Amino acid sequence: MLEQWWTSFQPEEYPWLGEVFVLVLILLALNLILGRLVAHLAKKFEKTHNLWDDALLEASRRPALLMIWAVGGSHVLEVIGESTDAEVFSALDSLRAVGVVVILAWFLVSLVRQVERRLLSDEYTTKDEPIDQTTVMALGKLVRSAVIIVASLMVLQNLGYSISGVLAFGGIGGIAVGFAAKDLLANFFGGLMVYLDRPFSVGDWVRSPDKNIEGTVENIGWRQTRIRTFDQRPLYVPNATFSQISVENPSRMLNRRIHETIGVRYQDAAVLPEIITQVRAMLEDHADIDLGRTLIVNFNQYNASSLDFFIYTFTKTTKWVEYHEIKQDVLLKILDIIHGVGADVAFPTTTVKLDPISIERAQERNTEQVNE
């Protein structure tokens, strides 16, 4: 059958065949050259630490190859279409324009994603200046959304739709959509307010006195924020919630406070002033106590079974583990001071006073009962 087709083949019936063959060879050559160029640039960029070079190369690999075949393939089809009256080739220009727009949008979205990923990577943040993760994520989402919206409008225009009509319909339909999706819009604008006001960022420890919310912020999305609680459970909070509650951000505290009340026995009242003096001197000499903040050591009250004094001071560190180590050191030194002056920490006690006559009568009754 193949031999029969070859003997009946008439080249003059396919005048476009030679031109198409040349175009395909050119496309293959361009594809090979581009592949070699990308491989060469990849090896060269590996020796440098440049964010934009790496992101641009990674984002343009597949879109560039696809652009060559899309544009080249459309020219091949255009050559074929010149020798035929098929209606399918009449839409070739619109399809080519749509393909170019889609590929460019793919490249730009991929470029933004690659830049965002590298800005948030440990490699970049350790070798260059620190980057605010919340700002990077917000700008990345905003730019990607803008690219997708603009590309969609350009695709509609190339397909023959009126952009002004689409925008007018969006203005009228937006009212109905707004009523139907008010919660979704509330979460969107709540997320926008979080990005603008920045009450917290990714990695911050947050909690709310109004809701049972406490943990570390892992991600701030347009609809919800993911918080990892201290028992390692993910907590998803709608962004609209943050406009209705108070949010405390302990990660931004400047110091941590030590506020403790300590009681000594009533029989140690004579050495209480000496204890207070030594404790104050110990705190003033402590390397981890911030003397620029309030420091108080004073006798506080007469308790039921103790004489209470309190300490009120601040540590230089805000780290949770280091703070508790410093607090432990301070409390143990206070205990040493109390024991050093011959006193001791009080514990709940009760003193019962009995009448001596009543005691004698009770003893007589016990003696009589024994004799009987």
Side-chain angles (χ1 to χ4, degrees), residues 217-236:
V217 179
E218 288 190 338
N219 180 63
I220 303 174
W222 288 117
R223 194 183 72 82
Q224 63 186 11
T225 296
R226 185 174 74 248
I227 297 175
R228 182 72 59 175
T229 62
F230 292 133
D231 57 358
Q232 299 305 307
R233 292 180 298 170
L235 179 64
Y236 300 92

Side-chain angles (χ1 to χ4, degrees), residues 35 63 68 151 206 209 226 245 296 315 318 340:
I68 290 176
V206 297
R226 185 174 74 248
I245 63 174
I296 304 175
T315 62
T318 59

Side-chain angles (χ1 to χ4, degrees), residues 26-311:
I26 294 174
L27 290 178
L28 291 173
L30 289 175
N31 184 66
L32 180 62
I33 293 172
L34 182 61
R36 295 287 181 86
L37 179 62
V38 170
H40 174 71
L41 291 176
K43 291 181 179 179
K44 186 176 181 180
F45 290 163
E46 286 179 356
K47 302 177 182 178
T48 62
H49 178 67
N50 190 300
L51 168 72
W52 298 101
D53 289 347
D54 297 338
L56 183 62
L57 180 64
E58 188 66 26
S60 60
R61 285 179 183 268
R62 287 179 290 179
L65 293 174
L66 185 60
M67 180 69 77
I68 290 176
W69 286 104
V71 176
S74 65
H75 282 296
V76 170
L77 293 177
E78 188 176 8
V79 171
I80 298 175
E82 291 177 355
S83 60
T84 180
D85 296 332
E87 290 294 331
V88 69
F89 293 100
S90 61
L92 190 59
D93 291 337
S94 298
L95 293 177
R96 178 167 52 202
V98 169
V100 171
V101 170
V102 171
I103 295 172
L104 288 176
W106 178 25
F107 164 70
L108 293 176
V109 170
S110 179
L111 177 62
V112 173
R113 184 175 288 109
Q114 291 294 332
V115 171
E116 178 183 350
R117 184 173 66 84
R118 282 168 170 76
L119 286 175
L120 297 178
S121 66
D122 294 335
E123 178 184 2
Y124 183 81
T125 54
T126 54
K127 293 186 177 181
D128 300 277
E129 60 182 14
I131 298 296
D132 181 41
Q133 296 185 6
T134 305
T135 302
V136 172
M137 294 171 63
L139 291 177
K141 293 175 182 177
L142 185 62
V143 174
R144 285 198 298 271
S145 300
V147 170
I148 293 173
I149 292 173
V150 172
S152 301
L153 293 176
M154 293 179 66
V155 167
L156 291 176
Q157 185 176 17
N158 283 290
L159 292 177
Y161 294 94
S162 173
I163 299 299
S164 58
V166 173
L167 295 177
F169 174 77
I172 298 173
I175 301 176
V177 172
F179 282 109
K182 61 176 183 174
D183 292 336
L184 183 63
L185 293 176
N187 291 325
F188 171 79
F189 285 109
L192 184 61
M193 290 301 101
V194 170
Y195 283 122
L196 295 178
D197 296 340
R198 298 180 66 182
F200 52 83
S201 303
V202 174
D204 284 355
W205 165 26
V206 297
R207 63 186 176 198
S208 172
D210 303 325
K211 297 283 187 178
N212 188 21
I213 298 174
E214 184 172 12
T216 304
V217 179
E218 288 190 338
N219 180 63
I220 303 174
W222 288 117
R223 194 183 72 82
Q224 63 186 11
T225 296
R226 185 174 74 248
I227 297 175
R228 182 72 59 175
T229 62
F230 292 133
D231 57 358
Q232 299 305 307
R233 292 180 298 170
L235 179 64
Y236 300 92
V237 183
N239 289 330
T241 305
F242 295 113
S243 62
Q244 304 170 1
I245 63 174
S246 301
V247 178
E248 182 181 346
N249 191 341
S251 296
R252 296 181 182 175
M253 66 173 66
L254 302 177
N255 304 87
R256 283 190 180 274
R257 185 183 66 177
I258 298 177
H259 185 199
E260 296 293 332
T261 298
I262 302 168
V264 298
R265 301 173 303 183
Y266 269 89
Q267 57 264 40
D268 300 322
V271 295
L272 181 59
E274 178 64 20
I275 293 173
I276 293 174
T277 301
Q278 291 189 27
V279 170
R280 182 181 290 109
M282 180 271 296
L283 292 175
E284 290 175 350
D285 295 336
H286 202 292
D288 296 314
I289 298 299
D290 189 354
L291 299 181
R293 301 289 177 179
T294 303
L295 192 155
I296 304 175
V297 183
N298 283 109
F299 174 58
N300 194 27
Q301 67 174 348
Y302 296 97
N303 213 331
S305 57
S306 63
L307 299 172
D308 293 345
F309 70 95
F310 76 100
I311 60 171

